[in-house]
Amino acid sequence: MMRTRPLKVALLGCGVVGSEVARIMTTHADDLAARIGAPVELAGVAVRRPDKVREGIPAELITTDATALVKRGDIDVVVEVIGGVEPARTLITTAFEHGSSVVSANKALLAQDGTSLYAAADQHGQDLYYEAAVAGAIPLIRPLRESLAGDKINRVMGIVNGTTNFILDKMDTSGAGYSEALDEATALGYAEADPTADVEGFDAAAKAAILAGIAFHTRVRLDDVYREGMTEVTAADFASAKQMGCTIKLLAICERAADGESVTARVHPAMIPLSHPLASVREAYNAVFVEAEAAGRLMFYGPGAGGAPTASAVLGDLVAVCRNKLNEATGPGESAYTQLPVSPMGDVVTRYHISLDVADKPGVLAQVATVFAEHGVSIDTVRQQGKDGEASLVVVTHRAPDAALSGTVEALRKLDTVRGVASIMRVEGE
């Protein structure tokens, strides 16, 4: 039997995502009510610019006082899509204090302060759901928190930023340079006027922190994530990748150490073989590859951003939270029982692709090989081309600790026969 009294929802933010949430709540009201077991009513919408026309939202629901809205006491669920750390953090904790569960899409806040938000939700017996915070419409958080809760996850590797994937895809398929590909992404609306958060890896790093915490049942903060942007990737790097049967992606990689005693989380551009499923992810799409002991290899793929796709994830969380409200229950909270330390990037074992500009004369290769040997790094392949006294030397290593590889590069720079290090890139996905 359906309950007649509606569950009341407060919406914080009515931009691209928030307006889609409001639209779907209105146009699909009957379906949502049938799925939840009670009607859902949009009880208020907090915005910064009240004079802006918002089609389909009654003017009496609009307010600029977000704090008063979440303090009303009759609100069952607060949907937060304003982003940023403050005032979102204060508004969410205030919502918990006044008896509301929260659905959020706020990756920055969750990566920086998810532990305190979990604690506040638990203290007041409320839910905190955030499917939309990591990969837009792709169901990922709930499978990790619930479907794979009985399994042991060893690795999560993915493309979690559509802007950077669009840029790198264009560089790969058209031969465009970074600036040209960025201009196209901006013209199509995939890149912001200031793309720093995307192209420098900040957005992906926040998502990596969230994924690592869930996957490994430990606390991983944004500051724990190694981050390297993709602005230095060149057309020459793609040419080298193609010669290896690879392409280049900006990856978020979360790994459990081989001994199981620590974890790592990192974001950086990497070459991956064309045979890997992530290599075929095109345009602005996202995909996350999960490796678990019992389930094996799983891939989650789809649109990772945009108003409607992100709103889909928000509404999925809203349905789940509302069902919990009706049953006077809560869903899964923070799971950090392993308390595993997060190892620094230097401990990560990986492969390198290193392109050197060297003097074209006898003995250069032997000198370079000696440096690698002195640092305990084994060489997999070497390719050398020379002309008019200058040469390029491309070295691909076997797996070694990142610190050893970094030390090798620094030593190479000091060789008289090495004119410069043209590019350095990690090789993943093998």
Side-chain angles (χ1 to χ4, degrees):
M1 180 180 297
M2 182 178 294
R3 192 181 79 167
T4 56
R5 185 176 69 81
L7 291 158
K8 294 189 176 183
V9 178
L11 179 61
L12 307 183
C14 198
V16 173
V17 176
S19 60
E20 280 295 311
V21 170
R23 182 188 66 79
I24 296 172
M25 285 185 64
T26 301
T27 58
H28 295 182
D30 291 342
D31 286 337
L32 291 172
R35 294 166 190 172
I36 292 168
V40 179
E41 175 186 309
L42 187 60
V45 181
V47 300
R48 285 183 297 179
R49 293 176 293 173
D51 297 332
K52 181 179 178 181
V53 176
R54 293 174 172 85
E55 187 176 346
I57 301 177
E60 60 269 21
L61 296 184
I62 301 295
T63 178
T64 57
D65 194 343
T67 301
L69 179 59
V70 299
K71 282 184 174 181
R72 272 178 37 173
D74 64 334
I75 301 296
D76 295 289
V77 184
V78 170
V79 175
E80 182 272 310
V81 288
I82 56 177
V85 176
E86 287 293 355
R89 173 168 45 198
T90 299
L91 290 170
I92 288 173
T93 54
T94 300
F96 291 144
E97 291 166 1
H98 287 77
S100 300
S101 289
V102 173
V103 173
S104 176
N106 197 329
K107 55 186 173 288
L109 176 57
L110 288 160
Q112 179 174 313
D113 208 17
T115 296
S116 67
L117 296 181
Y118 269 126
D122 182 64
Q123 178 184 353
H124 297 285
Q126 302 300 324
D127 272 325
L128 173 62
Y129 276 53
Y130 48 90
E131 184 67 66
V134 172
I138 304 172
L140 181 61
I141 300 301
R142 194 170 292 119
L144 291 177
R145 287 212 295 183
E146 300 177 28
S147 303
L148 295 172
D151 207 339
K152 181 180 181 181
I153 297 173
N154 292 317
R155 196 170 201 239
V156 179
M157 180 171 75
I159 299 163
V160 295
N161 183 277
T163 300
T164 55
N165 199 58
F166 180 89
I167 292 170
L168 292 173
D169 182 51
K170 289 302 173 184
M171 292 177 70
D172 185 23
T173 57
S174 70
Y178 168 76
S179 296
E180 183 182 351
L182 174 60
D183 288 344
E184 183 175 355
T186 303
L188 292 172
Y190 291 125
E192 301 286 346
D194 179 3
T196 302
D198 295 322
V199 300
E200 293 295 350
F202 290 102
D203 175 83
K207 295 170 180 177
I210 295 170
L211 289 174
I214 297 171
F216 307 132
H217 304 278
T218 198
R219 288 174 178 167
V220 179
R221 291 171 53 87
L222 181 58
D223 292 344
D224 296 322
V225 181
Y226 172 84
R227 178 193 54 79
E228 189 178 308
M230 48 153 284
T231 57
E232 301 301 319
V233 176
T234 66
D237 291 326
F238 274 101
S240 293
K242 287 181 179 179
Q243 289 182 328
M244 290 178 59
C246 292
T247 188
I248 299 171
K249 299 292 186 181
L250 184 74
L251 299 177
I253 304 172
C254 312
E255 290 181 304
R256 190 189 301 269
D259 62 7
E261 297 301 315
S262 65
V263 300
T264 59
R266 51 198 166 103
V267 169
H268 55 73
M271 294 182 179
I272 59 172
L274 294 175
S275 58
H276 194 283
L278 290 177
S280 62
V281 178
R282 303 287 308 280
E283 302 259 323
Y285 278 79
N286 284 192
V288 177
F289 198 72
V290 177
E291 298 179 27
E293 282 197 357
R297 297 182 173 186
L298 310 169
M299 193 168 88
F300 301 83
Y301 169 84
T310 305
S312 171
V314 170
L315 267 295
D317 279 350
L318 179 62
V319 169
V321 169
C322 286
R323 286 171 175 169
N324 290 343
K325 280 283 183 179
L326 290 180
N327 293 323
E328 298 182 348
T330 55
E334 183 184 32
S335 176
Y337 72 92
T338 62
Q339 299 183 19
L340 295 172
V342 182
S343 296
M345 185 63 190
D347 292 346
V348 172
V349 177
T350 186
R351 301 177 66 202
Y352 261 50
H353 175 283
I354 303 169
S355 181
L356 305 171
D357 294 326
V358 300
D360 187 15
K361 63 182 183 180
V364 173
L365 180 56
Q367 286 184 330
V368 169
T370 297
V371 170
F372 277 91
E374 288 174 347
H375 287 80
V377 179
S378 175
I379 294 176
D380 183 13
T381 62
V382 177
R383 186 174 71 254
Q384 184 174 5
Q385 293 178 323
K387 185 179 180 181
D388 299 329
E390 298 295 328
S392 63
L393 192 65
V394 176
V395 179
V396 180
T397 73
H398 286 292
R399 289 170 62 84
D402 197 81
L405 289 163
S406 297
T408 302
V409 172
E410 290 306 309
L412 289 171
R413 295 182 193 275
K414 297 176 182 179
L415 291 178
D416 292 339
T417 51
V418 174
R419 309 297 192 213
V421 179
S423 67
I424 307 169
M425 192 166 297
R426 295 172 184 86
V427 182
E428 300 286 349
E430 295 181 305

